[in-house]
Amino acid sequence: MSDADNPATDAHEHHHHHHEGPGYVTPQAAIEESEPEEVAYVIGLYVGTDVDAPDFLGVVDVDPDSSTYGEVIDRVEMPNRGDELHHFGWNACSSSCHVEGLERQHLIVPGQRSSRLHVVDTKDRRNPELVKVIEPEEVFEHDLSAPHTVHCIPDGKILISMLGDRDGELPGGFLELNDDFEVEGRWDAPGEIEMNYDYWYQPRHNVMISTEWAAPKTYYPGFDLEDVEAGKYGRKLHVWDWENRTVEQTIDLGEEGMIPLEVRFLHSPVSTHGFVGAALSSNVFHFHREDGGEWRADKVIDVEPREHDGWDMPVPGLVTDLLVSMDDRYLFFSNWLHGDVRMYDVSDPANPRLADRIWAGGHFGPRHPIEGERAVHGGPQMLQLSLDGERLYWTTSLYSTWDEQFYPEEGEEGSVMLKADVNPRKGTMELDRDFLVDFGDMPAGPARAHEIRWPDGDCTSDVWL
């Protein structure tokens, strides 16, 4: 492994110190200079429930010194029903820290089912405001639909992975917005890939890696094992030339890499190492660039399926989300069906070591992980870690139709948001028994809760040049 690829080479060693825009100069600066998070932005949705109300962006008070700690203190309702808000992201991050005048102020909040794009101004952090809506027809003009991952990219532009064409079939692609939140056009040439899902880029190495779910019309109705057998779900990584926007290599992960979802590079911009979780196969792959320039991916974590009285087959863990701590030392991932969150030491990324885990909900965790509090039905799902690596939060909803299949109580009673206190020095986690956000207690009725973001940047969105 070359020095440039060595993940142990700390991010603060890179020499980009010109800082006039949003974010932090280095990952180490994010750890040292950030303040503890006081509010979290969390997606709440009513799609697939009996509640006739629009989805919303919730503001959760996560300041333990606040009188409203653990409560949803504000909600930004969207103007339409049925969007299925899902993943969302910032207009700017540390990749734009050299751009004078740009601020990390606006959230881009797509509707996964509607293909509608919402722009929310968070200048007032506790009272954000919807300021713009891009209607689906404008997205369909570029033969794209079903927006998923939103990343800010250098110079203030925004890139969104799109999972289908205008009809919800394959292929997917990428949509680009400019810094005025106008659709700039299609980022990629049509036909570079078939399936799409998540992506992450590492500009210093001129590379982007994207993953695969399925065509929207395949996963919208719910999960069907026959679709897997018919080859309608993905198992490949696509390695892109970031500047030329072309796929240079495709890695087939095989049967052990079925449905590769979230992909994360290490935060250090000198590193070419990263991880991707294969949801259905319930494995984690480590990928990196070899000395010859080719990329490879190897399975490094295998979550064994477990027998369950209510299932005809062993229950897979279903690795639905993962993230890397800002210091690149720990990998966290969720097993949505099993009901546990795992913490691995990835100081040697090719040989992760299980450090700790917490059980809460799911099919094998406690239904009441916090005594005296409401039941937790879904398993741990979307994760978010504080920039200093000491507080891990998660929600329990995956996708409305999939929730209905595996955890029907989620739609009836709503999701929860939980938290663990993390000790990075000892490599341990402990469930915070004073923190449970009850999305079943919303004014319009029980809501599902999905992705989480911080105003000052995230372990799942910030990229460095």
Side-chain angles (χ1 to χ4, degrees):
M1 186 163 56
S2 68
D3 289 344
D5 287 346
N6 189 347
T9 304
D10 198 278
H12 71 267
E13 292 183 6
H14 91 86
H15 302 296
H16 179 70
H17 294 299
H18 185 56
H19 189 200
E20 294 179 337
Y24 300 92
V25 176
T26 64
Q28 188 64 29
I31 296 169
E32 295 176 358
E33 297 172 10
S34 63
E35 298 291 331
E37 62 283 356
E38 295 183 347
V39 296
Y41 300 122
V42 183
I43 289 300
L45 63 149
Y46 287 112
V47 175
T49 73
D50 293 333
V51 179
D52 182 24
D55 298 347
F56 62 89
L57 178 73
V59 182
V60 176
D61 188 335
V62 293
D63 178 0
D65 295 328
S66 169
S67 61
T68 53
Y69 179 53
E71 296 180 15
V72 179
I73 57 175
D74 192 33
R75 293 176 302 116
V76 180
E77 287 193 350
M78 301 302 138
N80 297 277
R81 288 166 167 74
D83 285 312
E84 181 123 21
L85 303 183
H86 192 61
H87 286 216
F88 64 118
W90 289 103
N91 67 306
C93 73
S94 296
S95 71
S96 308
C97 73
H98 59 292
V99 182
E100 187 176 4
L102 192 63
E103 295 182 60
R104 191 199 319 255
Q105 181 176 325
H106 292 89
L107 285 166
I108 316 304
V109 187
Q112 227 288 315
R113 286 182 189 267
S114 67
S115 299
R116 189 174 285 110
L117 306 174
H118 310 86
V119 181
V120 175
D121 186 341
T122 67
K123 189 174 183 63
D124 183 343
R125 293 185 170 190
R126 289 177 172 264
N127 297 283
E129 179 184 7
L130 179 67
V131 294
K132 181 171 183 175
V133 177
I134 299 172
E135 294 297 339
E137 291 71 20
E138 197 171 344
V139 174
F140 298 155
E141 286 180 13
H142 302 277
D143 200 19
L144 292 169
S145 69
H148 192 271
T149 299
V150 177
H151 269 302
C152 43
I153 58 177
D155 300 329
K157 293 186 177 180
I158 299 149
L159 189 63
I160 306 172
S161 62
M162 310 291 292
L163 275 52
D165 66 9
R166 65 165 63 88
D167 298 318
E169 302 284 3
L170 298 177
F174 294 87
L175 189 73
E176 188 175 14
L177 307 184
N178 63 26
D179 57 2
D180 289 324
F181 312 118
E182 298 165 335
V183 176
E184 189 102 324
R186 187 167 179 142
W187 179 84
D188 59 319
E192 285 289 319
I193 54 172
E194 282 290 303
M195 297 181 192
N196 203 7
Y197 182 75
D198 192 30
Y199 75 99
W200 194 290
Y201 65 101
Q202 205 60 312
R204 190 174 296 199
H205 300 286
N206 188 35
V207 65
M208 178 177 88
I209 293 184
S210 64
T211 60
E212 295 187 334
W213 191 6
K217 283 193 172 177
T218 299
Y219 66 78
Y220 275 170
F223 178 73
D224 187 338
L225 200 54
E226 291 186 1
D227 288 334
V228 177
E229 295 166 352
K232 294 183 178 180
Y233 279 97
R235 62 182 205 181
K236 297 175 183 174
L237 305 183
H238 302 285
V239 183
W240 295 71
D241 181 310
W242 173 244
E243 291 183 358
N244 291 325
R245 309 180 181 187
T246 53
V247 175
E248 299 298 305
Q249 186 183 348
T250 293
I251 302 173
D252 188 338
L253 301 177
E255 294 295 325
E256 293 191 305
M258 291 301 302
I259 313 185
L261 294 181
E262 313 303 334
V263 57
R264 318 290 187 204
F265 268 104
L266 297 190
H267 298 285
S268 168
V270 305
S271 175
T272 62
H273 293 257
F275 297 93
V276 60
L280 186 59
S281 303
S282 302
N283 297 319
V284 175
F285 283 74
H286 162 234
F287 62 81
H288 67 105
R289 188 171 63 187
E290 297 181 302
D291 289 341
E294 288 287 299
W295 292 75
R296 63 174 296 161
D298 302 295
K299 187 187 72 171
V300 290
I301 299 172
D302 188 359
V303 178
E304 292 290 333
R306 295 181 57 171
E307 298 291 339
H308 189 286
D309 290 343
W311 281 59
D312 296 331
M313 56 180 278
V315 181
L318 214 73
V319 179
T320 49
D321 193 19
L322 80 171
L323 62 78
V324 177
S325 61
M326 196 57 76
D327 63 2
D328 290 338
R329 182 175 177 190
Y330 291 109
L331 171 73
F332 298 84
F333 68 83
S334 54
N335 286 310
W336 187 60
L337 289 180
H338 282 187
D340 61 320
V341 178
R342 295 193 185 189
M343 174 182 185
Y344 280 76
D345 186 329
V346 291
S347 301
D348 177 359
N351 295 285
R353 179 183 63 81
L354 179 62
D356 204 357
R357 71 166 73 174
I358 286 178
W359 289 93
H363 288 286
F364 297 99
R367 187 65 66 215
H368 292 270
I370 301 177
E371 188 176 346
E373 285 284 3
R374 56 153 289 183
V376 175
H377 297 292
Q381 216 285 107
M382 293 310 296
L383 307 173
Q384 193 51 264
L385 183 68
S386 60
L387 292 173
D388 63 8
E390 296 186 0
R391 294 165 299 283
L392 180 74
Y393 300 78
W394 65 87
T395 55
T396 54
S397 170
L398 174 60
Y399 198 73
S400 62
T401 43
W402 294 41
D403 288 351
E404 283 301 292
Q405 283 180 272
F406 298 103
Y407 298 112
E409 303 94 338
E410 187 86 0
E412 298 169 1
E413 300 184 32
S415 299
V416 299
M417 178 178 173
L418 297 172
K419 172 196 167 197
D421 292 315
V422 181
N423 186 329
R425 290 159 294 283
K426 295 182 178 178
T428 59
M429 297 188 290
E430 182 177 359
L431 188 67
D432 182 347
R433 300 184 186 282
D434 294 323
F435 184 91
L436 183 149
V437 184
D438 186 1
F439 280 82
D441 191 28
M442 296 293 100
R448 308 179 195 276
H450 197 66
E451 192 169 41
I452 306 165
R453 296 238 171 263
W454 313 128
D456 288 323
D458 311 296
C459 290
T460 57
S461 67
D462 265 276
V463 174
W464 277 268
L465 295 178

